[in-house]
Amino acid sequence: DVKVTQSSRYLVKRTGEKVFLECVQDMDHENMFWYRQDPGLGLRLIYFSYDVKMKEKGDIPEGYSVSREKKERFSLILESASTNQTSMYLCASSSTGVPSTEQYFGPGTRLTVT
Amino acid sequence: AQKITQTQPGMFVQEKEAVTLDCTYDTSDPSYGLFWYKQPSSGEMIFLIYQGSYDQQNATEGRYSLNFQKARKSANLVISASQLGDSAMYFCAMREYNQGGKLIFGQGTELSVKP
């Protein structure tokens, strides 16, 4: 079974702190994604990566950065957390080549910035 | 412009009845795929069903079927014989193949199954 794990289920941080959200997948997937989920807005793509050391901006990259030093790990960084970044963060991974392949999601990290 | 639209923020259905969750999409890419995911209150995203733009038949997976109307750009999810465990958020998503592997999600529909 594909497994995508995220470092924390719940996280509380203060405004201005630097926040790291870690995601690890164990299926050798090339693609990894970070989304945030907010009520009424669905999931919105923050950043994604098709390969090690590669990254591309999604729809809402402002205030975030990412790092992919190893194939299995994709980190989301909030350089200076703000209250409007309070949200659920979901990591996902998928393989390339087969159009019908779904994305596999981690359990999510609920981040609260106070 | 919204690429994926789910117009039903919340729906109720009686246990054992069928329910249809609406999804419309907008793309100029002739090659695309449509996905439905379920998100229970525990938060994990569970893949349900996939429909490719060139698929001739509507996709089915157990009690889930996808009513794909390409000309209308709709991809409604039909759940037959609803169960209490079907209560969850449901998300429609699209992959445009010229955009790589990323998914675009709709706003979601919260389904509540009544006993």
Side-chain angles (χ1 to χ4, degrees), chain A residues 11-76:
Chain A
L11 209 53
V12 180
K13 295 292 181 180
R14 293 198 178 275
T15 302
E17 279 193 82
K18 191 168 186 175
V19 181
F20 292 87
L21 302 183
E22 304 285 341
C23 175
V24 178
Q25 50 94 4
D26 66 358
M27 281 301 291
D28 203 36
H29 283 167
E30 297 84 2
N31 308 323
M32 296 190 75
F33 308 85
W34 274 106
Y35 297 91
R36 67 175 280 176
Q37 181 181 0
D38 300 289
L41 297 178
L43 279 72
R44 293 178 293 166
L45 184 63
I46 304 171
Y47 267 97
F48 59 106
S49 170
Y50 289 139
D51 203 349
V52 176
K53 297 194 185 294
M54 292 184 67
K55 60 185 179 185
E56 291 194 38
K57 293 180 179 179
D59 299 318
I60 51 164
E62 297 78 18
Y64 304 94
S65 62
V66 290
S67 172
R68 194 167 180 200
E69 296 295 319
K70 293 185 178 181
K71 190 175 186 180
E72 68 270 19
R73 188 180 297 269
F74 193 35
S75 303
L76 180 69

Side-chain angles (χ1 to χ4, degrees), chain A residues 9 31 33 35 37 40-43 45 48 50 57 59 88 90 94 98-107, chain B residues 2 33 35 37 39 41-47 50 89 91 95 97 99-108:
Chain A
R9 288 301 302 268
N31 308 323
F33 308 85
Y35 297 91
Q37 181 181 0
L41 297 178
L43 279 72
L45 184 63
F48 59 106
Y50 289 139
K57 293 180 179 179
D59 299 318
M88 169 73 95
L90 290 161
S94 69
V98 180
S100 61
T101 188
E102 71 267 31
Q103 289 184 9
Y104 295 84
F105 283 82
Chain B
Q2 194 75 23
F35 299 77
Y37 282 84
Q39 187 182 44
S41 57
S42 53
E44 76 270 29
M45 295 284 283
I46 302 167
F47 165 71
Y50 164 85
M89 283 291 290
F91 291 98
R95 172 184 295 144
Y97 296 152
Q99 297 292 317
K102 61 180 182 177
L103 292 177
I104 305 163
F105 284 84
Q107 308 94 318

Side-chain angles (χ1 to χ4, degrees), chain B residues 22-87:
Chain B
D22 294 342
C23 173
T24 58
Y25 60 91
D26 184 26
T27 181
S28 57
D29 188 346
S31 302
Y32 55 90
L34 297 153
F35 299 77
W36 278 92
Y37 282 84
K38 171 184 178 182
Q39 187 182 44
S41 57
S42 53
E44 76 270 29
M45 295 284 283
I46 302 167
F47 165 71
L48 296 178
I49 197 166
Y50 164 85
Q51 179 86 41
S53 59
Y54 296 115
D55 293 343
Q56 296 296 312
Q57 306 269 8
N58 285 345
T60 60
E61 289 286 347
R63 293 187 299 111
Y64 303 108
S65 61
L66 202 152
N67 184 0
F68 181 47
Q69 299 189 40
K70 194 170 181 177
R72 295 175 122 185
K73 294 188 174 178
S74 76
N76 298 339
L77 178 71
V78 181
I79 305 174
S80 63
S82 297
Q83 301 172 356
L84 295 178
D86 293 334
S87 294

